[in-house]
Amino acid sequence: MRRELSLPLFWRVCLINGAVFALGTLVLVLSPATVSERTLWSEIVVLAIGLAVIFTLNGLLLRSILQPLDHLTGAMAAIDLRQPGRRLDETAAGPATPLVAGFNAMLERLEAESTTSTTRALHAQEAERQRIAQELHDEVGQSLTAVLLGLKQAVDAAPPEVAAELEQVRETTRTSLEEVRRISQRLRPGVLADLGLLNSLSSLASDLTARTAIPVTRGFLPGLPALAPEAELVVYRVAQEALTNVARHAHADNVELGLTRRGNILTLRVADDGVGGADATAGAGIQGMQERARMGGGRLQVRSRRGGGTEVLLDLPIDEATP
Amino acid sequence: MTVRILLADDHALVRGGLRRILDAEADLTVVAEAADGAEAVDLARATRPDLAILDISMPRMTGLQAAREITRRVPAVRTLMLSMHDNEQYFFSALQAGACGYVLKSVADEDLVAACRAAMRDESFLYAGVAGTLVRDFLDRMRRGERISRAVLTEREEEVVKLIAEGHTSRQIATQLVISHKTVDHHRANILTKLGMRDRTELTRYAIRAGLIEP
């Protein structure tokens, strides 16, 4: 931080006012001007001119100090924590430099804190989802399976008039079991823990094709290093959200899903040939992806492709030391 | 000859239900029960059953890991995966791990017995969803004019192929065509053989080529 001329603002204003008054007093003392006992019109004019000069001089000097403050107010209003990294220019702030520096430092702290709390919230959310998914799957799902198997026995042994009714109960149980499985799958993709990242991404692609009949071209670079579970989850959730957006908004005929690596940067790319026009700042979906990317120390870009369509790029640093 | 079966599922109620269904069949009998994957591997080595039915998500060792172990240590034991996941990647991963069939829990009451018998014939049992995907893909490739040995299907089999492609279960197909469940299973097996999707090796090779799973 620069230390030159770091007088507090209050003293600067005092000094400027004092200097201007001193100047006025000096002029009065040194000039031959006098004020008669009964003030003459000509004297009033001179006094008024003197006063105007002092007023203007004072105004000009104070303006140089206070105008940067007005700029600062405007800039503060425009700051958006969702788009971090914006700072005010310290060099152009003039006398307001300490204030700008203080504001920038505060922004830094706020951004760090917001990232930490978002990360914590996302972690908590994932943990909670996992717990619910697990319980749905292990408890409710298994019990329903047991009921289904028991009903099969009952149907086989029952007299025909009861059997038809039992058959209906059995179909209802089957539907509920399917429902439980779907919910649990959506809450927490077990596929990630069981089959690894690439198979999970592949599974997302199959799901999209099954739901919307949009073909997905997969392009996974072989020999990718094993990632930390958190990083895998970031990649998976971003891909999931991006593909959901494609299904909802893009009206695409083709989607490309790729995972590649350049140096220590892993890149996930989801590109479609749909209508495009995604706004990187709007929408909870894109914001969610951005938060996830930040959580993994990465960067997310959403941009329109030339000739239509949208491209989502996630760059994530790979930490080789922790496989 | 009765088929000796090892049953592994961490949920006792489910195990009981499965056991009753299997024991009700004259040619199937459960000889051992395990509550987790590691126990399943131990029991498979100790009792040498003909068939091991493994739940895909079990504590201590998942069904996939257990299938891999059993295939490696006691290759004579055939394995069948039991799963909640209606998902191709799980299906193909199970085949990769050495399982010869994959039964969805939500249709286990209907498919399990047929799957056991298919496994004993060394055929892969495909559940309705994945059979649908595979057959659809096959029809697509045929339409695009890819050179595939155009299998000669009977008229009935053509009908069944259409319904499989639409994702219907065997039971739904049976109701629709007014034939028995057994006949549908018979048609299905014939069709998959003719389309070259009968056994584990063929299916796994196909899945890797189509980019559905990692080799």
Side-chain angles (χ1 to χ4, degrees):
Chain A
M1 202 175 285
R2 302 185 315 158
R3 298 259 338 143
E4 44 161 339
L5 274 178
S6 59
L7 269 181
L9 224 43
F10 168 74
W11 283 115
R12 288 188 185 211
V13 172
C14 273
L15 280 179
I16 286 175
N17 277 331
V20 170
F21 287 143
L23 192 70
T25 316
L26 216 61
V27 168
L28 277 181
V29 170
L30 297 181
S31 68
T34 50
V35 182
S36 318
E37 209 155 315
R38 287 198 53 181
T39 316
L40 298 174
W41 276 109
S42 61
E43 288 166 352
I44 289 179
V45 171
V46 169
L47 279 178
I49 289 173
L51 196 63
V53 168
I54 286 178
F55 189 76
T56 315
L57 194 61
N58 205 8
L60 283 175
L61 286 171
L62 283 182
R63 202 175 103 124
S64 74
I65 292 184
L66 296 181
Q67 205 174 31
L69 289 185
D70 288 338
H71 288 313
L72 191 60
T73 315
M76 280 174 172
I79 286 284
D80 184 354
L81 270 188
R82 284 173 304 180
Q83 289 172 292
R86 279 185 60 185
R87 296 288 179 269
L88 302 182
D89 188 3
E90 284 183 34
T91 51
T97 303
L99 192 60
V100 172
F103 179 69
N104 279 346
M106 188 190 72
L107 265 188
E108 192 90 34
R109 277 201 311 278
L110 275 180
E111 274 170 18
E113 226 159 89
S114 123
T115 308
T116 321
S117 68
T118 312
T119 307
R120 210 179 298 133
L122 282 174
H123 274 309
Q125 190 192 39
E126 285 292 348
E128 186 67 3
R129 278 181 174 186
Q130 179 168 21
R131 195 183 60 75
I132 298 171
Q134 194 100 44
E135 270 173 28
L136 272 179
H137 183 276
D138 291 354
E139 306 302 326
V140 185
Q142 297 287 50
S143 304
L144 281 175
T145 307
V147 171
L148 195 62
L149 296 170
L151 279 171
K152 149 98 175 154
Q153 297 272 293
V155 169
D156 289 350
E161 64 272 19
V162 189
E165 207 154 314
L166 278 178
E167 189 63 47
Q168 267 188 3
V169 177
R170 192 167 145 205
E171 286 314 310
T172 313
T173 313
R174 203 191 303 287
T175 315
S176 317
L177 186 56
E178 281 292 311
E179 202 61 39
V180 166
R181 186 194 57 75
R182 246 197 310 277
I183 295 170
S184 141
Q185 176 70 22
R186 221 178 304 138
L187 279 173
R188 169 75 186 197
V191 66
L192 200 53
D194 292 339
L195 307 180
L197 180 61
L198 294 190
N199 283 332
S200 309
L201 290 179
S202 205
S203 161
L204 283 178
S206 309
D207 284 352
L208 181 80
T209 310
R211 253 194 350 255
T212 62
I214 305 172
V216 180
T217 314
R218 304 164 169 91
F220 304 140
L221 192 74
L224 287 170
L227 300 179
E230 292 82 25
E232 288 198 335
L233 193 61
V234 169
V235 174
Y236 182 86
R237 288 287 192 207
V238 168
Q240 188 177 33
E241 183 61 41
L243 289 175
T244 307
N245 284 344
V246 170
R248 276 198 201 137
H249 311 298
H251 305 291
D253 295 320
N254 257 300
V255 184
E256 292 164 42
L257 175 66
L259 194 65
T260 51
R261 174 193 186 177
R262 209 179 322 112
N264 269 338
I265 300 289
L266 186 76
T267 303
L268 171 81
R269 178 171 174 274
V270 184
D272 66 67
D273 60 353
V275 292
D279 182 358
T281 56
I286 292 177
Q287 235 177 71
M289 286 197 279
Q290 249 150 6
E291 275 161 12
R292 296 222 179 243
R294 271 210 296 283
M295 183 172 130
R299 204 165 61 100
L300 185 98
Q301 287 171 276
V302 180
R303 57 189 185 204
S304 291
R305 297 167 81 191
R306 257 177 305 179
T310 309
E311 188 175 37
V312 176
L313 284 169
L314 168 73
D315 287 335
L316 210 61
I318 317 175
D319 194 0
E320 291 271 21
T322 52
Chain B
M1 191 202 97
T2 52
V3 179
R4 297 168 65 249
I5 296 174
L6 161 69
L7 194 54
D9 193 308
D10 55 323
H11 206 281
L13 278 175
V14 174
R15 224 163 47 227
L18 292 170
R19 175 167 205 154
R20 274 195 297 282
I21 286 182
L22 293 169
D23 282 343
E25 303 293 318
D27 55 340
L28 307 173
T29 172
V30 176
V31 294
E33 286 186 31
D36 62 60
E39 195 187 350
V41 175
D42 291 343
L43 281 174
R45 296 176 69 190
T47 60
R48 309 245 158 191
D50 300 309
L51 179 67
I53 301 177
L54 309 170
D55 180 32
I56 204 163
S57 48
M58 284 187 291
R60 282 180 70 202
M61 200 187 249
T62 67
L64 290 173
Q65 291 167 326
R68 224 169 278 136
E69 275 299 295
I70 291 174
T71 311
R72 201 166 60 85
R73 289 169 185 248
V74 253
V77 179
R78 296 174 173 89
T79 53
L80 201 58
M81 203 60 73
L82 200 58
S83 167
M84 280 278 258
H85 306 284
D86 181 358
N87 178 313
E88 289 160 42
Q89 271 71 32
Y90 273 101
F91 169 76
F92 287 116
S93 299
L95 295 193
Q96 242 178 348
C100 51
Y102 187 96
V103 180
L104 277 185
K105 280 197 168 168
S106 57
V107 283
D109 52 338
E110 284 173 354
D111 282 358
L112 185 64
V113 171
C116 288
R117 293 192 181 128
M120 294 317 292
R121 290 194 303 267
D122 282 322
E123 288 170 11
S124 276
F125 186 84
L126 310 181
Y127 66 91
V130 78
T133 311
L134 287 173
V135 170
R136 262 200 311 280
D137 182 82
F138 187 87
L139 296 177
D140 271 350
R141 280 192 291 158
M142 222 160 63
R143 214 168 297 134
R144 283 200 304 270
E146 258 179 60
R147 231 170 49 81
I148 308 169
S149 54
R150 176 77 169 92
V152 193
L153 298 179
T154 65
E155 216 168 290
R156 226 325 113 81
E157 282 168 353
E158 294 269 11
E159 279 179 288
V160 177
V161 160
K162 202 174 141 283
L163 293 172
I164 292 177
E166 286 165 11
H168 293 291
T169 63
S170 288
R171 209 175 50 86
Q172 288 165 332
I173 296 175
T175 323
Q176 208 150 336
L177 298 181
V178 205
I179 48 180
S180 79
H181 194 289
K182 270 219 171 76
T183 316
V184 175
D185 283 339
H186 179 71
H187 281 316
R188 267 174 59 124
N190 278 347
I191 291 164
L192 293 172
T193 310
K194 286 182 180 175
L195 300 187
M197 297 176 184
R198 197 180 71 111
D199 67 19
R200 203 168 79 70
T201 337
E202 285 173 341
L203 283 167
T204 315
R205 211 179 295 137
Y206 161 79
I208 292 172
R209 207 176 48 231
L212 291 173
I213 48 164
E214 289 301 298

